[in-house]
């Protein structure tokens, strides 16, 4: 069973659309959760941490459901510059980050 | 903004050769990592390093790999005898005070083994 699973996409959406990505993780001991963004052949960059209460950063909203071991990312009012691969990432305390394979988003005009 | 720097950005090497990838972590960071990403695949953890020793390693990090911090600034990954399947982007990362803080990634070293 894969540790972190994501729908690979691609998600092709027009500018202004709302798009949601889902992620499930297998290790119930996971304690920290993140969404990273990765542009083609670039390094992963932290988009936002994900908290149990849910959190929002501008057009981005992240949700965590520990009971279902499920994480989501919602992007509202998509911009062309949002085109990238979005990586779901988890870890337990004191261990390395475990990455999902990523979901590719393509926003078109 | 402080950054993690990696050299070389791209290296082509023949199978069986030794490769050293170099990283300069952010200066006040204490935890260092190497990850790799094979083209089209996910980012995979290789090794973490703290207090001048390996703190965790994955099953990928076998005897052909080694890490060291020779001079207190550089953090290196050595691959002793490269194989074709070692072709990947290798990312160095560093973290400040505790595990769970933000991890900063370098831009990566793209290794091609031919």
């Amino acid at each position: 069973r894969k540790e972190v699973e994501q729908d690979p996409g691609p998600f092709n959406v027009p500018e202004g659309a709302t798009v949601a990505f889902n992620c499930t993780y297998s290790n119930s001991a996971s304690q920290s959760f993140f969404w990273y963004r990765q542009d083609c052949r670039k390094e992963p960059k932290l988009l936002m941490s994900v908290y149990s209460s849910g959190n929002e950063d501008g057009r981005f909203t992240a949700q965590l459901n520990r009971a279902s071991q499920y994480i989501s990312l919602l992007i509202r009012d998509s911009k062309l510059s949002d085109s990238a691969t979005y990586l779901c990432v988890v870890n337990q305390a004191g261990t390395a980050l475990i990455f999902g394979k990523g979901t590719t988003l393509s926003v078109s005009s | 903004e402080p950054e993690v720097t990696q050299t070389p950005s791209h290296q082509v090497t023949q199978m069986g050769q030794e490769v050293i990838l170099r990283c300069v972590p952010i200066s006040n960071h204490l935890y260092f990592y190497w990850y790799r990403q094979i083209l089209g695949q996910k980012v995979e953890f290789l090794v973490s390093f703290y207090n001048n020793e390996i703190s965790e390693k994955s099953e990928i990090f076998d005897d052909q790999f080694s890490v060291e911090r020779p001079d207190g600034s550089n953090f290196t990954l050595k691959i002793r005898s490269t194989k074709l399947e070692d072709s990947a982007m290798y990312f160095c990362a560093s973290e400040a005070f505790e595990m769970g803080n933000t991890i900063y990634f370098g831009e990566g070293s793209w290794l091609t083994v031919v």
Side-chain angles (χ1 to χ4, degrees):
Chain A
R1 184 178 176 189
K2 293 180 184 175
E3 292 183 315
V4 179
E5 290 204 57
Q6 298 182 246
D7 180 345
F11 284 61
N12 298 304
V13 303
E15 274 186 291
T18 295
V19 62
F21 304 139
N22 303 319
C23 166
T24 57
Y25 59 95
S26 61
N27 190 338
S28 60
S30 298
Q31 296 186 350
S32 302
F33 309 91
F34 311 91
W35 284 101
Y36 275 73
R37 171 194 168 125
Q38 186 175 31
D39 293 292
C40 188
R41 302 213 178 198
K42 298 288 189 182
E43 76 275 24
K45 291 187 178 177
L46 179 65
L47 180 65
M48 59 197 302
S49 300
V50 187
Y51 305 115
S52 296
S53 54
N55 48 300
E56 188 174 306
D57 182 2
R59 298 181 292 109
F60 299 86
T61 301
Q63 297 277 354
L64 168 64
N65 184 321
R66 285 186 185 269
S68 302
Q69 296 179 203
Y70 170 92
I71 307 163
S72 66
L73 176 69
L74 184 76
I75 305 176
R76 291 181 298 278
D77 189 22
S78 300
K79 311 290 185 193
L80 293 175
S81 56
D82 293 335
S83 297
T85 298
Y86 291 83
L87 309 176
C88 178
V89 183
V90 306
N91 79 328
Q92 303 173 50
T95 67
L97 300 178
I98 304 298
F99 286 78
K101 198 173 175 182
T103 299
T104 300
L105 172 66
S106 177
V107 182
S108 56
S109 57
Chain B
E1 182 177 290
E3 59 182 21
V4 176
T5 57
Q6 290 185 239
T7 54
S9 57
H10 188 196
Q11 182 163 351
V12 180
T13 190
Q14 292 206 323
M15 194 167 51
Q17 295 297 304
E18 176 181 283
V19 164
I20 297 176
L21 305 179
R22 292 183 169 80
C23 169
V24 179
I26 295 171
S27 62
N28 64 337
H29 284 191
L30 300 177
Y31 292 86
F32 314 115
Y33 306 87
W34 283 101
Y35 287 80
R36 80 170 184 190
Q37 187 175 30
I38 295 169
L39 189 63
Q41 301 298 314
K42 66 179 181 180
V43 177
E44 299 175 292
F45 168 71
L46 292 178
V47 66
S48 58
F49 193 85
Y50 170 72
N51 201 25
N52 288 317
E53 61 182 25
I54 290 173
S55 52
E56 186 185 3
K57 60 182 181 179
S58 72
E59 56 191 29
I60 301 170
F61 194 86
D62 60 22
D63 290 344
Q64 68 162 150
F65 292 95
S66 62
V67 289
E68 62 176 6
R69 196 162 184 239
D71 56 12
S73 60
N74 290 290
F75 177 51
T76 62
L77 174 70
K78 182 190 288 186
I79 309 174
R80 258 181 279 280
S81 178
T82 49
K83 307 186 186 84
L84 294 176
E85 55 264 36
D86 293 328
S87 295
M89 180 76 92
Y90 289 81
F91 293 109
C92 175
S94 70
E95 184 180 12
F97 302 113
E98 298 175 347
M99 296 277 206
N101 278 354
T102 300
I103 293 178
Y104 294 85
F105 284 83
E107 292 187 343
S109 293
W110 182 251
L111 176 65
T112 302
V113 182
V114 296

